[in-house]
Amino acid sequence: MTTIALVDRGPSIAEVRRRLQRSPLAFDLVDDPAQTDLVVTDQPAPVPNFLTVAAAATPDVFYCRPASVDYVVAALTEAHLVGAHGVRVRPSVQARPDRAPRPHWWRRAFRPLEHFDATHFDWSGVEDVEAGVFDDEVHVVLDDAEFTARLRARGRTDGAEGRFRWAGILYGAAARAAAPDGRGRVQVRIRDGAPVDARLTDLTPWGTVRIAGVGAPPWSPDTEPARLSR
């Protein structure tokens, strides 16, 4: 279970605490940041940062203000569901020009942030959560190139949108060779199965390629049980 420390006593932290305590999920909340996986504070995020909520230089910390309560609660819920013991915003996401902090953001302090996207973060410890994890060889088509790679992924239905979202990692030199920048629109299939659309998002520090999709995943209810970790 993910342990969360809510530090400071401001109204934003109080609202996050209230929502987590009223959640049907059993969050493990503590006050001591030395004995926790994730920390939530109402202190300003260091610069550079991502949406004033997280910074690549300070992993495992979320910075909360009134406009970001919804976003932070969504992030903590994701961490709890996947059993994460750490989180870090991806440097490539933080560095995107359209993610740069806006001038005088304090004038917009009560405007809501964009919709939370779990693929913007690295969740450490998730690989230890085996339930429902797909792990098998897939065929990938990127532009005119086709290659085979090992895909390890999982997904769930977004309660707000009602759509299935999945994400994972492509392993192997073929994926890196076909997408040296880790980006691109692809089609993925299992053996003779129907191809599904997905996108490559970026390269990991270990040379693997992240992939994500919305809608039907490459696997299906007919996938052999041995191919899904239980």
Side-chain angles (χ1 to χ4, degrees), residues 49-189:
N49 61 63
F50 175 63
L51 300 176
T52 74
V53 170
T58 54
D60 308 331
V61 179
F62 286 106
Y63 301 89
C64 190
R65 55 189 177 89
S68 58
V69 168
D70 289 344
Y71 192 100
V72 170
V73 170
L76 297 176
T77 301
E78 175 72 14
H80 179 86
L81 290 173
V82 302
H85 297 295
V87 64
R88 182 178 184 234
V89 62
R90 295 177 181 172
S92 60
V93 171
Q94 178 175 281
R96 285 173 50 183
D98 60 326
R99 306 293 184 187
R102 297 177 179 177
H104 310 300
W105 65 263
W106 49 271
R107 294 181 179 176
R108 304 173 175 86
F110 291 92
R111 291 187 181 182
L113 298 185
E114 65 181 53
H115 182 72
F116 171 75
D117 188 339
T119 65
H120 290 160
F121 296 84
D122 286 320
W123 306 88
S124 61
V126 174
E127 287 296 310
D128 297 330
V129 183
E130 294 297 321
V133 176
F134 173 82
D135 194 337
D136 197 3
E137 185 178 85
V138 295
H139 300 280
V140 183
V141 176
L142 171 61
D143 297 327
D144 295 328
E146 182 171 357
F147 60 91
T148 300
R150 172 193 168 203
L151 170 63
R152 183 173 173 81
R154 65 184 299 158
R156 65 171 54 85
T157 300
D158 187 306
E161 298 180 347
R163 294 192 296 174
F164 189 85
R165 293 180 175 273
W166 60 274
I169 298 287
L170 289 173
Y171 295 85
R176 295 192 301 272
D181 63 351
R183 297 175 180 271
R185 296 285 178 177
V186 297
Q187 287 195 319
V188 185
R189 62 180 174 84

